[in-house]
Amino acid sequence: MEITIAGTGLAGGAWPELLPDRRPVLVVPAPAAPPPHPVDDWSREAACPHDTPHPGWAATAAPPHLTVHRPTGQPWYDAPVTAGREWWRALRTHEVLLLVTGPFTDVFDFRRAAEAGALALLTVDTAFTTP
């Protein structure tokens, strides 16, 4: 019997999370999107203002699809997000998304990257579109 791990965050794809105050987060491992460029002003501080969107960056949501655009208009992330209704509702309510990325490939590598201070964070405005 072959077992394929394809659950959220286990196959190199992005996975949704909610902060304790119910604000939405998208954790994006290295294989799911290009690394942040230093000129993009991603924060390396865990205490960055998660409710203040970074100018120029924007996300467009058409569940289950999410696209995050750089200030140049080019997509940084463009793929479906395997998220439940609660996460999409939180994203619609807050209209702001915290992105977390870094040198990790799955949930098992995430903690090591966090402990090394290697995570990059960016908050973006989010708009919903109807398909």
Side-chain angles (χ1 to χ4, degrees), residues 10-28:
L10 297 178
W15 69 89
E17 295 286 346
L18 289 172
L19 293 174
D21 64 1
R22 314 314 289 163
R23 286 180 293 166
V25 177
L26 186 65
V27 182
V28 185

Side-chain angles (χ1 to χ4, degrees), residues 104-105 126:
F104 57 93
T105 57
T126 305

Side-chain angles (χ1 to χ4, degrees), residues 57-61 66-69 91 97 99 124-128:
W57 284 77
T60 305
L66 181 75
T67 304
V68 177
H69 295 278
L91 184 58
L97 176 64
L99 301 168
V124 297
D125 279 321
T126 305
F128 276 78

Side-chain angles (χ1 to χ4, degrees), residues 6-97:
T8 301
L10 297 178
W15 69 89
E17 295 286 346
L18 289 172
L19 293 174
D21 64 1
R22 314 314 289 163
R23 286 180 293 166
V25 177
L26 186 65
V27 182
V28 185
H37 297 281
V39 296
D40 288 339
D41 292 329
W42 287 70
S43 174
R44 297 280 179 190
E45 301 294 324
C48 76
H50 303 307
D51 55 351
T52 305
H54 192 76
W57 284 77
T60 305
H65 201 86
L66 181 75
T67 304
V68 177
H69 295 278
R70 290 184 163 107
T72 61
Q74 295 176 308
W76 177 78
Y77 177 85
D78 188 16
V81 175
T82 307
R85 185 175 296 151
E86 182 180 10
W87 189 85
W88 289 108
R89 189 175 297 132
L91 184 58
R92 186 178 296 275
T93 299
H94 292 279
E95 298 179 334
V96 173
L97 176 64

